[in-house]
Amino acid sequence: MTSPEIASLSWGQMKVKGCSTTYKDCKVWPGGSRTWDWRETGTNHSPGVQPADLEEVVKKGVKTLVIGRGMSEALQVPPSTVDYLKKNGIDVLVLQTEKAVEEYNALAAQGVKVGGVFHSTC
């Protein structure tokens, strides 16, 4: 099961290869993707990405998780979230979303079991 390529990214819109949905924010993992709905976990720009936002992707068996903080990096990622991933043996990259998508796609192309959560606006 390979991680799907992010086919395109622009402000407020992301497309995942093989998926007809256009996402604003999305989660991707080997074999799938879906909308990242912040309301599910009460996520806001601050304090930002919580372990609860990542559990679903972690359970898919990823070895690396890429977090896209938004086009202007407004989305925070607290140290506790990075610690959660490291305690689960997962490498984590926290980047501006355009850079995050580039890195995610490069890892996916290499066959790495990579997942990601991406914020496509601010």
Side-chain angles (χ1 to χ4, degrees), residues 101-114:
V101 166
E102 283 176 28
E103 196 62 39
Y104 167 88
N105 279 342
L107 290 165
Q110 293 166 26
V112 173
K113 286 188 80 163
V114 62

Side-chain angles (χ1 to χ4, degrees), residues 2-25:
T2 59
S3 299
E5 177 187 343
I6 309 272
S8 66
L9 167 68
S10 59
W11 184 274
Q13 294 190 338
M14 297 184 71
K15 297 281 290 171
V16 175
K17 196 171 187 175
C19 180
S20 60
T21 306
T22 298
Y23 301 113
K24 176 178 171 264
D25 299 321

